[in-house]
Amino acid sequence: MLNIKIDTSEVTALAKHIKDSSKRFDKDFKEIFDSIKKPALGIAREEAPKKSRRLAESLHVVDYAPLEFGIEEGVNYGQYVRHGSPARGIFPHFKKALFWKGLLHPVANAKNWPGMKANPYGVRTAIRARREILPRFGEKVAARIRIIVEGKEY
């Protein structure tokens, strides 16, 4: 008769260690994730148009989910900066819409708006963030995983 005994005490200890470490890893991962928000916002502000700096100063971080965030504009003309606008005429809607003292009658077509060229600063921000921030983020996560796998405590 052949007796085989499989000792699972080390496997059980390893499973308990992984379970305990995963809770700490979730917390650490959230901290690591939060650490990339400020640099990403800084890059977005650097890439934003510098005409008045109002757009750049209105940018802010918005959390969509625990591990998802975005950078939004706090001005109503942001979409026109990013996507541009077509050329068009500006027409008066009311009788005295474009009337001022000294002018004998309202102007029918006061101005031709030449349009606005698109400035895709959001795309440039994403490219720079991927190049500058993502490698550091990956290194931090890899270091934390290494600590868990090797069983080192902090």
Side-chain angles (χ1 to χ4, degrees):
M1 180 165 164
L2 180 65
N3 288 333
I4 299 175
K5 181 180 178 186
I6 300 173
D7 183 17
T8 60
S9 61
E10 289 186 26
V11 174
T12 307
L14 178 63
K16 183 181 181 311
H17 175 70
I18 290 173
K19 183 178 179 184
D20 294 343
S21 296
S22 69
K23 291 176 185 174
R24 276 185 260 132
F25 180 71
D26 289 344
K27 181 182 170 220
D28 291 347
F29 189 77
K30 178 81 170 104
E31 289 174 8
I32 293 169
F33 184 76
D34 288 343
S35 72
I36 67 173
K37 292 177 183 178
K38 192 172 182 180
L41 181 62
I43 290 172
R45 286 186 172 158
E46 288 173 12
E47 292 293 336
K50 298 175 176 47
K51 190 170 185 177
S52 71
R53 299 303 297 168
R54 184 173 161 215
L55 175 66
E57 291 169 3
S58 75
L59 294 174
H60 56 280
V61 175
V62 177
D63 290 319
Y64 298 126
L67 296 176
E68 183 181 349
F69 75 94
I71 297 174
E72 293 186 355
E73 302 149 336
V75 293
N76 58 354
Y77 59 85
Q79 66 179 351
Y80 299 113
V81 173
R82 283 181 280 117
H83 303 295
S85 64
R88 61 186 181 274
I90 300 174
F91 300 98
H93 292 282
F94 302 104
K95 186 175 178 184
K96 294 190 177 193
L98 296 172
F99 182 81
W100 56 89
K101 193 172 183 176
L103 185 66
L104 300 176
H105 55 80
V107 179
N109 187 357
K111 179 112 172 128
N112 285 322
W113 172 251
M116 183 185 295
K117 185 178 171 188
N119 184 347
Y121 70 91
V123 174
R124 292 193 307 270
T125 298
I127 291 169
R128 272 189 61 195
R130 183 174 58 212
R131 188 178 63 235
E132 297 174 15
I133 298 172
L134 209 54
R136 287 183 284 162
F137 176 72
E139 290 168 5
K140 289 179 182 179
V141 171
R144 183 63 191 119
I145 291 173
R146 206 173 300 115
I147 288 171
I148 291 172
V149 170
E150 293 173 358
K152 296 179 183 175
E153 298 300 322
Y154 3 160

